[in-house]
Amino acid sequence: MSDILKHIEENPKETRRLIGLEYEQLQQLIENAEQLNYEKQALRESKKIRIIAGGGGRKPKLSVKEQIILTLVYLRQMTTFQLLGIQFGVSESTANDTFNYWLPILRELLPCSLLEQVKKTSLT
């Protein structure tokens, strides 16, 4: 578990300062994003023609929850992907790939005004 996720779970009142959402909003967003991600993956899998059974390959280093937090931290703090990778224990390219994977999913779930609110760099 990343230090940021651990900190959020231990100090839910600081969630808004870190990522721009209240803790309850974050929990709901994660739940909805996981569901939407599962549906999109199921659709992609149904269209694939496989010779070898699925399920192989390297498992992701970050959980789905950590990937979503990484994306929200980037939107809120606008740090570099190198620093983001260090914070979450992944490479710079993995941090970039994770962000670019989850951003369209979060755009579907968050209203534009809330997405812009998360993007603000000033602390509230």
Side-chain angles (χ1 to χ4, degrees):
M1 180 184 306
S2 74
D3 290 339
I4 293 176
L5 180 57
K6 184 178 177 184
H7 182 78
I8 286 173
E9 289 179 352
E10 290 174 357
N11 306 291
K13 292 185 178 185
E14 292 188 21
T15 306
R16 184 165 181 81
R17 289 182 63 202
L18 289 171
I19 58 172
L21 295 171
E22 297 295 336
Y23 185 74
E24 294 76 24
Q25 290 175 313
L26 174 63
Q27 295 303 319
Q28 187 65 40
L29 177 64
I30 288 171
E31 185 179 309
N32 292 340
E34 286 176 336
Q35 180 62 33
L36 184 59
N37 181 49
Y38 175 76
E39 291 169 5
K40 287 181 180 259
Q41 282 184 339
L43 181 63
R44 270 188 242 121
E45 280 297 316
S46 70
K47 292 181 179 181
K48 283 185 181 177
I49 299 173
R50 288 193 169 271
I51 297 173
I52 301 172
R58 184 175 177 195
K59 302 298 178 208
K61 206 168 185 183
L62 298 175
S63 68
V64 170
K65 193 180 236 187
E66 289 172 315
Q67 291 176 33
I68 294 168
I69 297 288
L70 181 147
T71 304
L72 294 172
V73 167
Y74 178 81
L75 288 171
R76 178 68 173 188
Q77 306 296 334
M78 291 299 198
T79 185
T80 64
F81 287 112
Q82 181 181 19
L83 284 175
L84 203 58
I86 292 168
Q87 287 176 322
F88 284 85
V90 296
S91 69
E92 180 179 358
S93 61
T94 299
N96 187 357
D97 292 345
T98 301
F99 171 78
N100 286 310
Y101 176 82
W102 283 100
L103 185 61
I105 294 172
L106 295 179
R107 276 197 177 131
E108 285 185 42
L109 295 172
L110 290 173
C112 292
S113 60
L114 193 54
L115 189 59
E116 291 303 317
Q117 181 182 347
V118 170
K119 283 185 179 181
K120 283 186 181 177
T121 56
S122 62
L123 297 176
T124 51

